[in-house]
């Protein structure tokens, strides 16, 4: 009986030590797995941020190209035809993947609006009107040209200053002389 009791004690001690050892190994393995998960997530996040930054810079370069075309033509002399000709020199789908297009926005004070509308209508856009999402009395930021025009007809003439997220992004872009993302918005051409 004593031998059986002794064997039972040894087995219990051996079993207990095995449990403690297995628990330690399990805890260490869990910690290692969590560290690897965190490291893997960090690598993925850094790669995603890098890819997104590269993509945004690509879009920004496209906007600089459009700005260059406007400056070369003269901001007061840029016409729909000149802007369209510039757009034909670009392959938006290939050069700017994911982009729906790009445009030219003109700042128009309320007292300049009648003359601006007349000039736009003489300049190949006979039905040009200014559309506001929310009426306001301040300066207008009007989408005068946008390419590809066929898929953006609803956006032509939109006063982006008539919606706060668009207005704030436009002002930040002007203030910082840099492309600026808006907070989430609903595109008028998607409605």
């Amino acid at each position: 009986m004593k031998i059986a009791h002794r064997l039972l004690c040894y087995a219990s001690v051996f079993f207990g030590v095995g449990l403690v050892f297995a628990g330690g190994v399990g805890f260490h393995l869990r910690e290692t797995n969590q560290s690897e998960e965190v490291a893997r997530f960090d690598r993925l996040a850094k790669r995603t941020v890098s890819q997104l930054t590269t993509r945004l810079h690509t879009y920004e370069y496209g906007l600089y190209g459009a700005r260059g075309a406007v400056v070369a033509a003269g901001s007061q002399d840029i016409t729909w035809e000149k802007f369209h000709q510039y757009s034909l020199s670009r392959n938006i789908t290939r050069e700017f993947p994911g982009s729906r297009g790009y445009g030219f926005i003109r700042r128009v004070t309320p007292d300049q609006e009648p003359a601006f509308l007349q000039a736009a209508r003489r300049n190949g856009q006979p039905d040009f009107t200014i559309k506001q999402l929310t009426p306001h009395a301040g300066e207008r930021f009007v989408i005068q040209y946008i390419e590809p025009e066929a898929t953006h007809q609803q956006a032509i003439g939109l006063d982006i200053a008539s919606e706060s997220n668009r207005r704030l992004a436009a002002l930040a872009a002007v203030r910082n002389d840099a492309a600026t993302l808006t907070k989430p918005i609903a595109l008028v051409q998607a409605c």
Side-chain angles (χ1 to χ4, degrees), residues 1 23 26 42 54 60-61 77-78 82 84-85 98 102 111 119 122 125 133 140 152 189:
M1 182 93 153
D42 285 345
T54 299
E60 191 171 29
Y61 300 145
D77 297 324
I78 187 72
K82 288 177 184 176
H84 182 68
Q85 286 300 317
Y102 57 92
D111 61 309
R122 282 192 313 268
Q125 297 172 303
L133 298 171
R140 282 89 164 102
H152 295 87
Q189 58 269 43

Side-chain angles (χ1 to χ4, degrees), residues 142-189:
V142 182
I143 300 174
Q144 188 169 5
Y145 311 121
I146 191 164
E147 292 291 338
E149 186 179 39
T151 57
H152 295 87
Q153 283 293 322
Q154 300 90 329
I156 296 172
L158 177 65
D159 170 18
I160 67 166
S162 68
E163 193 274 321
S164 63
N165 288 332
R166 289 172 168 93
R167 180 179 55 251
L168 291 173
L171 291 171
V174 169
R175 183 176 50 254
N176 301 323
D177 191 30
T180 305
L181 293 175
T182 64
K183 290 183 178 179
I185 59 171
L187 297 176
V188 294
Q189 58 269 43

Side-chain angles (χ1 to χ4, degrees), residues 40-103:
R40 191 176 319 124
F41 179 79
D42 285 345
R43 284 191 306 273
L44 180 60
K46 286 177 183 175
R47 186 174 72 210
T48 301
V49 166
S50 174
Q51 289 172 343
L52 182 59
T53 301
T54 299
R55 172 86 44 109
L56 291 176
H57 283 306
T58 300
Y59 296 157
E60 191 171 29
Y61 300 145
L63 291 172
Y64 289 147
R67 180 175 70 179
V70 169
V71 169
S75 65
Q76 295 306 314
D77 297 324
I78 187 72
T79 63
W80 173 84
E81 182 61 34
K82 288 177 184 176
F83 194 79
H84 182 68
Q85 286 300 317
Y86 168 75
S87 77
L88 293 176
S89 74
R90 306 308 297 252
N91 182 335
I92 294 172
T93 306
R94 185 178 56 76
E95 292 179 67
F96 312 112
S99 172
R100 293 184 174 201
Y102 57 92

